[in-house]
Amino acid sequence: MDVLLNEEEQMLKNLAREFLEKECPPEMARAMEADDLGYPPALWKKLADLGWLGLALPEAYGGQGLPLAYLGLIFEELGRAIAPVPFHSTMMAALTIAKDGSEQQKKEVLPAVARGDMVLTWALLETDPRLLPETVHAQATPQGNGYVISGTKMFVDNFNAAQKFLVACRTAPVSGDKSPVTPLYERGGLSSPPLQRGVGGISAQGSEAGLSLFLVDTNLPGISHTPLGTMVKDKQSRVTFDRVAVPASSLVGRLHQGWPVIEGMLDRGTILLCAQMLGATRKDAEMGIDYAKNRVAFGRPIGAFQSIQHLCADMIVWVDGVQLLTYEALWRMDQGLPASIEISQAKAFANDKCEAVVRSSQVIHGGIGFMAEFNLNLWFRRVSSWTMRMGTSFEHRARIARALLDQPGRVRLGESMYDLAPSG
Amino acid sequence: MDFGFTPRQEALKQEVRQFIAENVSPEVLAEAAKGWEEGRGPRTRELLKKIADRGWVGISWPKEYGGQGGSRIDQYLVEEEFARVGIGVGGAGSGAPAILAAGTEEQKQYFLPRIIRGEIVFGLGFTEPQAGADLASLQCRAVRDGDEYVVNGQKMFTSSAHFATHLYLMARTDPEAPKHKGISIFLIPMDTPGITVRPLWTIQSNPTAPLGTTYGQARTNEVFLEDVHVPASCILGEENMGWYVGAMGLNLDRVGASRYLLSVSRDEDIINWVKENDFQGFTPAQDPAVRDRLAELWIEAQVCRLMTLRSMSLVEHGGKFTYEGSAEKVFSPEHGVRTTETITQVLGPYAQLMNGSPEAIEDGIFAHNVLGAFQSGINHGSVQVMRDQVARRGLGMPRS
């Protein structure tokens, strides 16, 4: 038990910070908001040269095979620097291919990602924005030696920059009775088999969801996209599939068994986003605290007023909380332990507290923080938008409530929540 | 980062649980629950001695003073298991850490082994009627007179005074110096002539709290010191350095298993209660608003746990807290209050029923907690003072 970073972890973090402070000033994030591609290819190439893009990918495919926690530390620093790179969407897809892809898919994608020659993304959400299997209506129909995909996907990150993406499609109707499908987040984390026993007979295969995941080229005929106008001016798209033919080899994992694969992807994506939010929020808090030390009002720095000091104290306490929850989830994932509850803990807390912290920092800055040309808003808008993605607080708390309340056995802090002991 | 315990530590946990199952009877617990009113009874003393004989008290203290020279994490694990059944072990309190840090060799040899054996219990003589949060403005005087000090003054909220063997006293030794620099700490036997203890009864004294209440202190005390003559060797650390000696002990006292469990036990209790109970078909555990709120509190409780483990990790590294102990002392007590108050809204009018009342839930512990929970945000440095410390020490914010 040692929740602090060890020497190697701290060194990696320091190196990442030094590099990004030099190579990725906030002006870069600002410039990319007006850029069509949305990221600087030269910086992307440098990240590849540093080994970051292959950091957590298998050594056999050009990666370094390092723990996910190390990648989390990189995300923390990328968040701190609000680096405008398509790192998150690329890693979500690449890590999923590394875990669940075919040999051919791994060979085709992973070395190219590690070299910085391929940007990836993923497409799951449709009209209903919840991260649930029943919200997926896009259809993949068998045809000839492959499938034909039709449907519309929302909030596809970096679609304009990506060469390939993972697309979740319905290949079979939702099985089971006619009653409405219980949100799977509420069922308590399908990615963690022990819990499934605890919450009452959820199929370990997830085949009842009837979903399949495909690795698709973004430039195939029949795919079109419309950019969405976000508060961050980042690149998200609505993507439409009009009878898009894909080969059978594009299937990732097994047919109709896509949901556990997708859940793994979402879990990794969620915790890496937490790490990114953590880094950005801590930096934002530091800017607020520095401003309070220097801004003079009523004849003294406003940071000498207790009302401001206590606001700042809470900001740091909350950011520390996000950090501890995030690190614990990452550590568990690297140990091969179930972590869906810890991931949800981190994201729900981060959603609420990171938003509160960046809002407090805006309050401390007063009117100047509201000005477009003042840099603080670059962090504020990003953190705020990240709280809205990869699961809302309500979704994540519903998953925790399910684990807490809907399986027999008594809860105890510090003990596993995935397989509660019988009552008594 | 490493969020797991070693197999040896897991085995230690099991060993302690086994010991508790075999040795902590309902009779002992009932007696221990009355400890605040009546002091330690014979069963409690016997149990504490058995625990000490197993080597489970002061695990991280040096061997030459009766400790095990072991890890602070081990000590935490043992303390948590006992704190969960309402038994405080581990020489908890400010005294021992301060003696370890600032005591003379003679003081360490005398006090520490006796603290481990449960023979010495300190009463904390810090607060005064006019010096609470602003402790450094205390007025109790200790005047050097040859080989002695003569102490005069009044102390408040010395909760253990009626069963303590010694007073861990802060007194002013230099009234001319700036207020933080004229204070010393003394370790004074309670039976020294001139010391009078008077009870102060809290809002939890009628009825007194039942077993299992997290916040259930029925009694505290005021202590009067009139011409109390003590040998000069009673001083802990250098004369006029008492503020800093005391702060060391307090910092360590603010973190650890008992403080953590004080803040989070209610989370487990209400969740386990709603899982097993309903009101004639109304099941709070199925109410979406209740579910969302309990999940939110559970996440906060995890943060409390992790902040405690962070403090333990820092101690284990031999490091000092800059603000981390204070951060924990802000977040955890306020969390405990949020949970306590949420419970009142989950149980509604049932939450007002005290022990002894017909229809009381869990013998009224939730009602008792409402009366006492906020107390944890006040004692040992209020959450407001803790926020000052986070801001000033941790973030370097200006005083003026």
Side-chain angles (χ1 to χ4, degrees), chain A residues 144-172:
Chain A
N145 195 24
Y147 301 87
V148 174
I149 300 174
S150 286
T152 299
K153 293 289 180 183
M154 285 291 289
F155 308 110
V156 182
D157 215 8
N158 306 309
F159 175 83
N160 63 322
Q163 285 80 52
K164 291 176 185 292
F165 63 157
L166 292 174
V167 184
C169 297
R170 186 153 298 290
T171 44

PDB file of all heavy atoms in Angstrom, chain A residues 144-172:
ATOM      1  N   GLY A 144     -23.212 -11.024 -48.817  1.00  0.00           N
ATOM      2  CA  GLY A 144     -22.061 -11.617 -49.479  1.00  0.00           C
ATOM      3  C   GLY A 144     -21.050 -12.074 -48.449  1.00  0.00           C
ATOM      4  O   GLY A 144     -21.387 -12.728 -47.467  1.00  0.00           O
ATOM      5  N   ASN A 145     -19.810 -11.672 -48.658  1.00  0.00           N
ATOM      6  CA  ASN A 145     -18.748 -12.065 -47.747  1.00  0.00           C
ATOM      7  C   ASN A 145     -18.481 -10.977 -46.701  1.00  0.00           C
ATOM      8  O   ASN A 145     -17.354 -10.771 -46.285  1.00  0.00           O
ATOM      9  CB  ASN A 145     -17.471 -12.358 -48.551  1.00  0.00           C
ATOM     10  CG  ASN A 145     -16.462 -13.126 -47.703  1.00  0.00           C
ATOM     11  OD1 ASN A 145     -16.855 -13.788 -46.749  1.00  0.00           O
ATOM     12  ND2 ASN A 145     -15.193 -13.020 -48.051  1.00  0.00           N
ATOM     13  N   GLY A 146     -19.516 -10.258 -46.315  1.00  0.00           N
ATOM     14  CA  GLY A 146     -19.304  -9.186 -45.335  1.00  0.00           C
ATOM     15  C   GLY A 146     -20.610  -8.673 -44.789  1.00  0.00           C
ATOM     16  O   GLY A 146     -21.563  -9.423 -44.620  1.00  0.00           O
ATOM     17  N   TYR A 147     -20.625  -7.382 -44.477  1.00  0.00           N
ATOM     18  CA  TYR A 147     -21.806  -6.758 -43.870  1.00  0.00           C
ATOM     19  C   TYR A 147     -22.070  -5.430 -44.563  1.00  0.00           C
ATOM     20  O   TYR A 147     -21.175  -4.814 -45.149  1.00  0.00           O
ATOM     21  CB  TYR A 147     -21.581  -6.504 -42.389  1.00  0.00           C
ATOM     22  CG  TYR A 147     -21.275  -7.762 -41.615  1.00  0.00           C
ATOM     23  CD1 TYR A 147     -19.962  -8.238 -41.506  1.00  0.00           C
ATOM     24  CD2 TYR A 147     -22.296  -8.485 -40.999  1.00  0.00           C
ATOM     25  CE1 TYR A 147     -19.676  -9.380 -40.808  1.00  0.00           C
ATOM     26  CE2 TYR A 147     -22.021  -9.648 -40.299  1.00  0.00           C
ATOM     27  CZ  TYR A 147     -20.712 -10.092 -40.202  1.00  0.00           C
ATOM     28  OH  TYR A 147     -20.433 -11.239 -39.512  1.00  0.00           O
ATOM     29  N   VAL A 148     -23.333  -5.000 -44.419  1.00  0.00           N
ATOM     30  CA  VAL A 148     -23.687  -3.662 -44.895  1.00  0.00           C
ATOM     31  C   VAL A 148     -24.213  -2.869 -43.700  1.00  0.00           C
ATOM     32  O   VAL A 148     -25.119  -3.320 -42.989  1.00  0.00           O
ATOM     33  CB  VAL A 148     -24.753  -3.737 -46.006  1.00  0.00           C
ATOM     34  CG1 VAL A 148     -25.229  -2.338 -46.381  1.00  0.00           C
ATOM     35  CG2 VAL A 148     -24.184  -4.451 -47.222  1.00  0.00           C
ATOM     36  N   ILE A 149     -23.601  -1.704 -43.466  1.00  0.00           N
ATOM     37  CA  ILE A 149     -23.946  -0.909 -42.283  1.00  0.00           C
ATOM     38  C   ILE A 149     -24.787   0.292 -42.688  1.00  0.00           C
ATOM     39  O   ILE A 149     -24.451   1.015 -43.639  1.00  0.00           O
ATOM     40  CB  ILE A 149     -22.670  -0.408 -41.564  1.00  0.00           C
ATOM     41  CG1 ILE A 149     -21.817  -1.607 -41.106  1.00  0.00           C
ATOM     42  CG2 ILE A 149     -23.006   0.503 -40.389  1.00  0.00           C
ATOM     43  CD1 ILE A 149     -20.471  -1.229 -40.525  1.00  0.00           C
ATOM     44  N   SER A 150     -25.899   0.491 -41.975  1.00  0.00           N
ATOM     45  CA  SER A 150     -26.714   1.685 -42.154  1.00  0.00           C
ATOM     46  C   SER A 150     -27.083   2.251 -40.797  1.00  0.00           C
ATOM     47  O   SER A 150     -27.381   1.499 -39.859  1.00  0.00           O
ATOM     48  CB  SER A 150     -27.992   1.369 -42.940  1.00  0.00           C
ATOM     49  OG  SER A 150     -27.682   1.177 -44.300  1.00  0.00           O
ATOM     50  N   GLY A 151     -27.064   3.569 -40.694  1.00  0.00           N
ATOM     51  CA  GLY A 151     -27.434   4.199 -39.424  1.00  0.00           C
ATOM     52  C   GLY A 151     -26.706   5.512 -39.239  1.00  0.00           C
ATOM     53  O   GLY A 151     -25.956   5.957 -40.120  1.00  0.00           O
ATOM     54  N   THR A 152     -26.922   6.115 -38.073  1.00  0.00           N
ATOM     55  CA  THR A 152     -26.318   7.414 -37.791  1.00  0.00           C
ATOM     56  C   THR A 152     -25.697   7.407 -36.399  1.00  0.00           C
ATOM     57  O   THR A 152     -26.318   6.946 -35.438  1.00  0.00           O
ATOM     58  CB  THR A 152     -27.373   8.532 -37.858  1.00  0.00           C
ATOM     59  OG1 THR A 152     -27.921   8.556 -39.182  1.00  0.00           O
ATOM     60  CG2 THR A 152     -26.757   9.895 -37.560  1.00  0.00           C
ATOM     61  N   LYS A 153     -24.475   7.893 -36.313  1.00  0.00           N
ATOM     62  CA  LYS A 153     -23.751   7.943 -35.033  1.00  0.00           C
ATOM     63  C   LYS A 153     -23.511   9.394 -34.637  1.00  0.00           C
ATOM     64  O   LYS A 153     -23.238  10.246 -35.492  1.00  0.00           O
ATOM     65  CB  LYS A 153     -22.404   7.219 -35.162  1.00  0.00           C
ATOM     66  CG  LYS A 153     -22.536   5.710 -35.378  1.00  0.00           C
ATOM     67  CD  LYS A 153     -23.018   5.026 -34.129  1.00  0.00           C
ATOM     68  CE  LYS A 153     -23.167   3.515 -34.325  1.00  0.00           C
ATOM     69  NZ  LYS A 153     -23.712   2.882 -33.099  1.00  0.00           N
ATOM     70  N   MET A 154     -23.599   9.625 -33.343  1.00  0.00           N
ATOM     71  CA  MET A 154     -23.397  10.989 -32.825  1.00  0.00           C
ATOM     72  C   MET A 154     -22.092  11.075 -32.033  1.00  0.00           C
ATOM     73  O   MET A 154     -21.582  10.074 -31.537  1.00  0.00           O
ATOM     74  CB  MET A 154     -24.560  11.370 -31.903  1.00  0.00           C
ATOM     75  CG  MET A 154     -25.860  11.712 -32.618  1.00  0.00           C
ATOM     76  SD  MET A 154     -25.723  13.275 -33.525  1.00  0.00           S
ATOM     77  CE  MET A 154     -25.681  14.432 -32.137  1.00  0.00           C
ATOM     78  N   PHE A 155     -21.611  12.298 -31.895  1.00  0.00           N
ATOM     79  CA  PHE A 155     -20.469  12.612 -31.027  1.00  0.00           C
ATOM     80  C   PHE A 155     -19.242  11.771 -31.359  1.00  0.00           C
ATOM     81  O   PHE A 155     -18.556  11.258 -30.461  1.00  0.00           O
ATOM     82  CB  PHE A 155     -20.850  12.442 -29.547  1.00  0.00           C
ATOM     83  CG  PHE A 155     -22.106  13.192 -29.186  1.00  0.00           C
ATOM     84  CD1 PHE A 155     -23.291  12.530 -28.896  1.00  0.00           C
ATOM     85  CD2 PHE A 155     -22.099  14.585 -29.178  1.00  0.00           C
ATOM     86  CE1 PHE A 155     -24.445  13.223 -28.581  1.00  0.00           C
ATOM     87  CE2 PHE A 155     -23.266  15.282 -28.870  1.00  0.00           C
ATOM     88  CZ  PHE A 155     -24.430  14.606 -28.564  1.00  0.00           C
ATOM     89  N   VAL A 156     -18.978  11.596 -32.647  1.00  0.00           N
ATOM     90  CA  VAL A 156     -17.797  10.828 -33.056  1.00  0.00           C
ATOM     91  C   VAL A 156     -16.599  11.783 -33.041  1.00  0.00           C
ATOM     92  O   VAL A 156     -16.528  12.735 -33.820  1.00  0.00           O
ATOM     93  CB  VAL A 156     -17.986  10.191 -34.437  1.00  0.00           C
ATOM     94  CG1 VAL A 156     -16.761   9.358 -34.794  1.00  0.00           C
ATOM     95  CG2 VAL A 156     -19.254   9.350 -34.456  1.00  0.00           C
ATOM     96  N   ASP A 157     -15.688  11.487 -32.125  1.00  0.00           N
ATOM     97  CA  ASP A 157     -14.532  12.333 -31.836  1.00  0.00           C
ATOM     98  C   ASP A 157     -13.528  12.253 -32.989  1.00  0.00           C
ATOM     99  O   ASP A 157     -13.200  11.153 -33.438  1.00  0.00           O
ATOM    100  CB  ASP A 157     -13.890  11.747 -30.565  1.00  0.00           C
ATOM    101  CG  ASP A 157     -13.311  12.802 -29.669  1.00  0.00           C
ATOM    102  OD1 ASP A 157     -13.523  13.995 -29.922  1.00  0.00           O
ATOM    103  OD2 ASP A 157     -12.631  12.408 -28.700  1.00  0.00           O
ATOM    104  N   ASN A 158     -13.034  13.385 -33.435  1.00  0.00           N
ATOM    105  CA  ASN A 158     -11.928  13.413 -34.411  1.00  0.00           C
ATOM    106  C   ASN A 158     -12.219  12.608 -35.680  1.00  0.00           C
ATOM    107  O   ASN A 158     -11.288  12.098 -36.300  1.00  0.00           O
ATOM    108  CB  ASN A 158     -10.629  12.882 -33.796  1.00  0.00           C
ATOM    109  CG  ASN A 158     -10.267  13.605 -32.517  1.00  0.00           C
ATOM    110  OD1 ASN A 158     -10.230  14.837 -32.499  1.00  0.00           O
ATOM    111  ND2 ASN A 158     -10.033  12.874 -31.456  1.00  0.00           N
ATOM    112  N   PHE A 159     -13.474  12.497 -36.052  1.00  0.00           N
ATOM    113  CA  PHE A 159     -13.777  11.712 -37.249  1.00  0.00           C
ATOM    114  C   PHE A 159     -13.041  12.265 -38.464  1.00  0.00           C
ATOM    115  O   PHE A 159     -12.519  11.513 -39.294  1.00  0.00           O
ATOM    116  CB  PHE A 159     -15.286  11.705 -37.532  1.00  0.00           C
ATOM    117  CG  PHE A 159     -15.631  11.007 -38.813  1.00  0.00           C
ATOM    118  CD1 PHE A 159     -15.749   9.615 -38.837  1.00  0.00           C
ATOM    119  CD2 PHE A 159     -15.785  11.719 -40.002  1.00  0.00           C
ATOM    120  CE1 PHE A 159     -16.027   8.960 -40.019  1.00  0.00           C
ATOM    121  CE2 PHE A 159     -16.059  11.063 -41.187  1.00  0.00           C
ATOM    122  CZ  PHE A 159     -16.179   9.684 -41.198  1.00  0.00           C
ATOM    123  N   ASN A 160     -12.966  13.583 -38.536  1.00  0.00           N
ATOM    124  CA  ASN A 160     -12.333  14.227 -39.695  1.00  0.00           C
ATOM    125  C   ASN A 160     -10.869  13.865 -39.844  1.00  0.00           C
ATOM    126  O   ASN A 160     -10.324  13.896 -40.939  1.00  0.00           O
ATOM    127  CB  ASN A 160     -12.472  15.748 -39.591  1.00  0.00           C
ATOM    128  CG  ASN A 160     -11.746  16.287 -38.368  1.00  0.00           C
ATOM    129  OD1 ASN A 160     -11.753  15.656 -37.307  1.00  0.00           O
ATOM    130  ND2 ASN A 160     -11.088  17.416 -38.512  1.00  0.00           N
ATOM    131  N   ALA A 161     -10.228  13.519 -38.700  1.00  0.00           N
ATOM    132  CA  ALA A 161      -8.789  13.240 -38.737  1.00  0.00           C
ATOM    133  C   ALA A 161      -8.491  11.744 -38.789  1.00  0.00           C
ATOM    134  O   ALA A 161      -7.369  11.338 -39.088  1.00  0.00           O
ATOM    135  CB  ALA A 161      -8.114  13.849 -37.508  1.00  0.00           C
ATOM    136  N   ALA A 162      -9.499  10.921 -38.499  1.00  0.00           N
ATOM    137  CA  ALA A 162      -9.242   9.491 -38.323  1.00  0.00           C
ATOM    138  C   ALA A 162      -9.243   8.739 -39.643  1.00  0.00           C
ATOM    139  O   ALA A 162     -10.007   9.057 -40.559  1.00  0.00           O
ATOM    140  CB  ALA A 162     -10.297   8.896 -37.386  1.00  0.00           C
ATOM    141  N   GLN A 163      -8.372   7.738 -39.740  1.00  0.00           N
ATOM    142  CA  GLN A 163      -8.360   6.856 -40.909  1.00  0.00           C
ATOM    143  C   GLN A 163      -9.294   5.668 -40.708  1.00  0.00           C
ATOM    144  O   GLN A 163      -9.845   5.132 -41.648  1.00  0.00           O
ATOM    145  CB  GLN A 163      -6.942   6.331 -41.183  1.00  0.00           C
ATOM    146  CG  GLN A 163      -6.019   7.359 -41.813  1.00  0.00           C
ATOM    147  CD  GLN A 163      -5.471   8.323 -40.765  1.00  0.00           C
ATOM    148  OE1 GLN A 163      -4.928   7.916 -39.752  1.00  0.00           O
ATOM    149  NE2 GLN A 163      -5.639   9.623 -41.022  1.00  0.00           N
ATOM    150  N   LYS A 164      -9.412   5.222 -39.492  1.00  0.00           N
ATOM    151  CA  LYS A 164     -10.276   4.078 -39.194  1.00  0.00           C
ATOM    152  C   LYS A 164     -11.037   4.353 -37.907  1.00  0.00           C
ATOM    153  O   LYS A 164     -10.594   5.137 -37.060  1.00  0.00           O
ATOM    154  CB  LYS A 164      -9.440   2.799 -39.000  1.00  0.00           C
ATOM    155  CG  LYS A 164      -8.783   2.264 -40.268  1.00  0.00           C
ATOM    156  CD  LYS A 164      -7.901   1.070 -39.926  1.00  0.00           C
ATOM    157  CE  LYS A 164      -7.138   0.577 -41.147  1.00  0.00           C
ATOM    158  NZ  LYS A 164      -8.004  -0.037 -42.176  1.00  0.00           N
ATOM    159  N   PHE A 165     -12.170   3.684 -37.758  1.00  0.00           N
ATOM    160  CA  PHE A 165     -12.874   3.780 -36.483  1.00  0.00           C
ATOM    161  C   PHE A 165     -13.613   2.498 -36.140  1.00  0.00           C
ATOM    162  O   PHE A 165     -13.904   1.679 -37.018  1.00  0.00           O
ATOM    163  CB  PHE A 165     -13.768   5.015 -36.400  1.00  0.00           C
ATOM    164  CG  PHE A 165     -14.918   5.139 -37.373  1.00  0.00           C
ATOM    165  CD1 PHE A 165     -16.008   5.953 -37.039  1.00  0.00           C
ATOM    166  CD2 PHE A 165     -14.940   4.502 -38.603  1.00  0.00           C
ATOM    167  CE1 PHE A 165     -17.079   6.124 -37.910  1.00  0.00           C
ATOM    168  CE2 PHE A 165     -16.004   4.666 -39.477  1.00  0.00           C
ATOM    169  CZ  PHE A 165     -17.072   5.477 -39.131  1.00  0.00           C
ATOM    170  N   LEU A 166     -13.854   2.343 -34.859  1.00  0.00           N
ATOM    171  CA  LEU A 166     -14.624   1.203 -34.370  1.00  0.00           C
ATOM    172  C   LEU A 166     -16.090   1.621 -34.325  1.00  0.00           C
ATOM    173  O   LEU A 166     -16.428   2.641 -33.733  1.00  0.00           O
ATOM    174  CB  LEU A 166     -14.156   0.788 -32.971  1.00  0.00           C
ATOM    175  CG  LEU A 166     -12.749   0.184 -32.906  1.00  0.00           C
ATOM    176  CD1 LEU A 166     -12.333  -0.044 -31.450  1.00  0.00           C
ATOM    177  CD2 LEU A 166     -12.683  -1.127 -33.693  1.00  0.00           C
ATOM    178  N   VAL A 167     -16.923   0.808 -34.951  1.00  0.00           N
ATOM    179  CA  VAL A 167     -18.335   1.171 -35.063  1.00  0.00           C
ATOM    180  C   VAL A 167     -19.188   0.068 -34.427  1.00  0.00           C
ATOM    181  O   VAL A 167     -19.070  -1.108 -34.788  1.00  0.00           O
ATOM    182  CB  VAL A 167     -18.740   1.349 -36.546  1.00  0.00           C
ATOM    183  CG1 VAL A 167     -20.192   1.813 -36.641  1.00  0.00           C
ATOM    184  CG2 VAL A 167     -17.808   2.344 -37.235  1.00  0.00           C
ATOM    185  N   ALA A 168     -20.031   0.478 -33.469  1.00  0.00           N
ATOM    186  CA  ALA A 168     -20.929  -0.483 -32.811  1.00  0.00           C
ATOM    187  C   ALA A 168     -22.218  -0.580 -33.606  1.00  0.00           C
ATOM    188  O   ALA A 168     -22.843   0.427 -33.904  1.00  0.00           O
ATOM    189  CB  ALA A 168     -21.221  -0.030 -31.380  1.00  0.00           C
ATOM    190  N   CYS A 169     -22.593  -1.806 -33.973  1.00  0.00           N
ATOM    191  CA  CYS A 169     -23.806  -2.007 -34.758  1.00  0.00           C
ATOM    192  C   CYS A 169     -24.644  -3.129 -34.169  1.00  0.00           C
ATOM    193  O   CYS A 169     -24.128  -4.038 -33.525  1.00  0.00           O
ATOM    194  CB  CYS A 169     -23.455  -2.415 -36.204  1.00  0.00           C
ATOM    195  SG  CYS A 169     -22.549  -1.166 -37.088  1.00  0.00           S
ATOM    196  N   ARG A 170     -25.916  -3.035 -34.442  1.00  0.00           N
ATOM    197  CA  ARG A 170     -26.831  -4.103 -34.058  1.00  0.00           C
ATOM    198  C   ARG A 170     -26.776  -5.182 -35.135  1.00  0.00           C
ATOM    199  O   ARG A 170     -26.936  -4.891 -36.318  1.00  0.00           O
ATOM    200  CB  ARG A 170     -28.242  -3.530 -33.920  1.00  0.00           C
ATOM    201  CG  ARG A 170     -29.253  -4.497 -33.397  1.00  0.00           C
ATOM    202  CD  ARG A 170     -30.391  -3.789 -32.677  1.00  0.00           C
ATOM    203  NE  ARG A 170     -29.924  -3.046 -31.508  1.00  0.00           N
ATOM    204  CZ  ARG A 170     -29.478  -3.614 -30.385  1.00  0.00           C
ATOM    205  NH1 ARG A 170     -29.441  -4.928 -30.276  1.00  0.00           N
ATOM    206  NH2 ARG A 170     -29.065  -2.873 -29.381  1.00  0.00           N
ATOM    207  N   THR A 171     -26.490  -6.416 -34.706  1.00  0.00           N
ATOM    208  CA  THR A 171     -26.489  -7.526 -35.662  1.00  0.00           C
ATOM    209  C   THR A 171     -27.582  -8.519 -35.318  1.00  0.00           C
ATOM    210  O   THR A 171     -27.860  -9.433 -36.079  1.00  0.00           O
ATOM    211  CB  THR A 171     -25.125  -8.244 -35.668  1.00  0.00           C
ATOM    212  OG1 THR A 171     -24.695  -8.428 -34.318  1.00  0.00           O
ATOM    213  CG2 THR A 171     -24.096  -7.440 -36.414  1.00  0.00           C
ATOM    214  N   ALA A 172     -28.182  -8.355 -34.143  1.00  0.00           N
ATOM    215  CA  ALA A 172     -29.307  -9.203 -33.748  1.00  0.00           C
ATOM    216  C   ALA A 172     -30.208  -8.353 -32.867  1.00  0.00           C
ATOM    217  O   ALA A 172     -29.737  -7.436 -32.205  1.00  0.00           O
ATOM    218  CB  ALA A 172     -28.810 -10.419 -32.964  1.00  0.00           C
TER     219      ALA A 172
END
